[in-house]
Amino acid sequence: MALPLLGELWDELPVEKRIFCSVLLFSWAVYLWEAFLARRQRKVYRTTTHVPWELGQIMDSETFEKSRLYQLDKSTFSFWSGLYSELEGTLILLCGGIPFLWNVSGQISGRAGFEPEYEVLVTIYADYIAPLFDKFIPLPEGELKQAIEMMAKSIDFPLTKVYVVEGSKRSSHSNAYFYGFFKNKRIVLFDTLLEDYSALNKEHPEGEDGEDDDTKSKVKNKKQGCKNEEVLAVLGHELGHWKLGHTIKNIVISQMNSFLCFFLFAVLIGQKELFAAFGFYETQPTLIGLMIIFQFIFSPYNEVLSFCLTVLSRRFEFQADAFAKELGKAKDLYSALIKLNKDNLGFPVSDWIFSMWHYSHPPLLERLQALKDAKQD
């Protein structure tokens, strides 16, 4: 009896109220789903206290425990910040915060000499100028550079320059990427990826106070970065993305998605009910329409699209690993993945549902398993 009654009450609601309630309910459904997944993953962090046997000979228990506690703290903070954001967003919607803030901004604009309907969109980029200050150094001549050029040539990659960027200034995260149009490609290696360049590997001056043999031994055992063969394996993976057309495929998908979104936006922007659902009964500001449609109305589509792209990305990662295997880099990629996971404080164990929904890259153990047969060969 309750369900038919709720159905009748729902049908009696005006269209704009149904839209508003649907947006609110979907927002909370997504939050509860995310909270459920996070809870499963936190359970993994709490209960997995020993290094997996696959990594037993490579990852020490101290590093494993440090990674576990780091990820557990991140997950706990993410839970509370997510709950705060959801409650804040719900209160803003229920209390008519969007039209209120819009009216306030209109009054401020009017006092500044603009007409009330004048729309101002200000986007603040917290760190958009920071990359301009990164220091890019050409990779010096040597075995590594020659090997990179030979590998690029073997797969017809149009390499022109190889750089090392001082990523260690901002974090210890290791990475490598390539960029450039057509026949003008460049490879960039983070200094944290290279064992010979990482600032964390710099030796302390001899005779420095407080530096004993035990401390030196610990520093040596915790050396960051990869050997030249492992760097080549990582690059083999990255070049696999280029050779297999993953970059082009992602660009095509992005362009198709943009076209679809703007087409639907053009169809929906004239619907008065959408604006009325969020408290705009008299006016239909274009900026508000953008926010309503892209942030709220497209939410179900965005969730489905995000999951599909995650699945596709994981497939691409396995394919790029397989490409590196074909280049004979399976053994070095195996060890490089473990080192990068260690340097980036990644936790190698994941709940399968959490991983499937969130991880654009397959979990470490899955990638290692895929590489294992070739490594043994």
Side-chain angles (χ1 to χ4, degrees):
M1 293 295 293
L3 289 178
L5 180 60
L6 288 174
E8 293 177 4
L9 292 174
W10 180 261
D11 292 337
E12 292 176 359
L13 288 174
V15 175
E16 58 268 21
K17 293 295 183 183
R18 277 185 276 176
I19 293 174
F20 180 83
C21 292
S22 297
V23 166
L24 205 56
L25 289 173
F26 184 78
S27 176
W28 274 97
V30 170
Y31 168 75
L32 292 174
W33 170 247
E34 294 284 359
F36 167 73
L37 295 180
R39 182 174 179 272
R40 290 177 61 97
Q41 185 62 20
R42 278 197 301 277
K43 183 178 179 181
V44 172
Y45 294 145
R46 291 193 184 98
T47 58
T48 309
T49 57
H50 299 287
V51 182
W53 67 267
E54 298 94 333
L55 308 178
Q57 301 299 319
I58 306 169
M59 180 177 288
D60 60 274
S61 57
E62 180 184 352
T63 300
F64 182 83
E65 181 66 8
K66 185 177 180 181
S67 172
R68 185 182 75 87
L69 295 177
Y70 172 69
Q71 296 295 340
L72 183 59
D73 288 343
K74 275 183 62 178
S75 179
T76 302
F77 175 79
S78 178
F79 168 78
W80 289 111
S81 63
L83 178 60
Y84 172 81
S85 296
E86 189 64 25
L87 290 172
E88 180 186 46
T90 299
L91 287 174
I92 289 174
L93 290 177
L94 290 175
C95 298
I98 296 177
F100 171 77
L101 293 174
W102 180 256
N103 291 332
V104 170
S105 66
Q107 294 173 8
I108 295 174
S109 298
R111 292 176 182 176
F114 298 111
E115 296 297 326
E117 65 274 10
Y118 188 85
E119 297 178 10
V120 180
L121 177 60
V122 179
T123 305
I124 299 175
Y125 295 95
D127 57 353
Y128 75 97
I129 202 169
L132 297 177
F133 296 94
D134 279 339
K135 187 176 182 180
F136 287 79
I137 305 171
L139 182 65
E141 296 293 336
E143 293 182 4
L144 179 58
K145 185 176 181 181
Q146 292 177 2
I148 291 174
E149 291 173 343
M150 288 178 60
M151 183 171 64
K153 186 177 181 179
S154 70
I155 62 172
D156 299 322
F157 182 77
L159 178 64
T160 57
K161 295 181 180 179
V162 184
Y163 291 107
V164 177
V165 62
E166 294 183 349
S168 56
K169 285 186 174 181
R170 294 193 302 275
S171 75
S172 61
H173 185 79
S174 302
N175 199 4
Y177 63 92
F178 65 87
Y179 69 97
F181 293 104
F182 307 112
K183 300 296 182 179
N184 188 29
K185 305 290 187 183
R186 295 157 188 186
I187 288 176
V188 177
L189 308 172
F190 278 48
D191 61 343
T192 49
L193 178 67
L194 307 177
E195 198 173 70
D196 295 335
Y197 284 83
S198 178
L200 300 182
N201 296 339
K202 300 300 181 183
E203 295 182 359
H204 295 279
E206 293 185 5
E208 183 177 350
D209 293 339
E211 185 82 9
D212 54 21
D213 293 338
D214 184 57
T215 302
K216 290 180 180 179
S217 176
K218 289 182 179 180
V219 171
K220 183 177 180 180
N221 291 336
K222 294 184 178 181
K223 180 174 283 190
Q224 185 192 44
C226 299
K227 298 178 181 178
N228 287 355
E229 296 82 4
E230 294 165 339
V231 173
L232 289 172
V234 172
L235 284 179
H237 169 93
E238 296 300 330
L239 294 178
H241 286 305
W242 171 81
K243 190 68 174 180
L244 298 172
H246 296 165
T247 305
I248 298 298
K249 291 174 184 177
N250 283 329
I251 291 175
V252 171
I253 292 172
S254 176
Q255 294 301 313
M256 291 176 62
N257 176 59
S258 297
F259 174 81
L260 177 62
C261 287
F262 282 108
F263 172 77
L264 294 176
F265 171 78
V267 173
L268 296 173
I269 191 64
Q271 304 298 316
K272 296 181 179 179
E273 294 82 0
L274 292 180
F275 290 89
F278 293 88
F280 292 86
Y281 299 100
E282 305 297 332
T283 60
Q284 300 178 35
T286 302
L287 180 58
I288 295 298
L290 279 167
M291 183 184 70
I292 291 174
I293 294 172
F294 283 100
Q295 182 175 343
F296 298 116
I297 304 303
F298 281 2
S299 288
Y301 167 76
N302 289 335
E303 290 294 328
V304 173
L305 177 65
S306 176
F307 174 71
C308 291
L309 291 179
T310 298
V311 173
L312 182 64
S313 175
R314 289 162 70 105
R315 179 178 176 82
F316 284 171
E317 292 301 318
F318 279 124
Q319 290 177 351
D321 283 351
F323 183 84
K325 284 166 56 176
E326 293 176 3
L327 295 177
K329 306 294 183 183
K331 180 179 179 180
D332 294 320
L333 183 58
Y334 190 98
S335 58
L337 289 175
I338 294 172
K339 284 186 177 181
L340 294 179
N341 183 83
K342 175 183 175 181
D343 291 344
N344 298 332
L345 280 183
F347 193 70
V349 184
S350 304
D351 175 75
W352 71 273
I353 302 181
F354 182 90
S355 167
M356 179 182 65
W357 188 261
H358 282 290
Y359 291 172
S360 60
H361 286 54
L364 175 64
L365 294 180
E366 291 184 24
R367 297 180 70 177
L368 295 182
Q369 184 61 42
L371 289 167
K372 189 175 182 180
D373 295 336
K375 173 178 175 289
Q376 291 176 341
D377 295 340

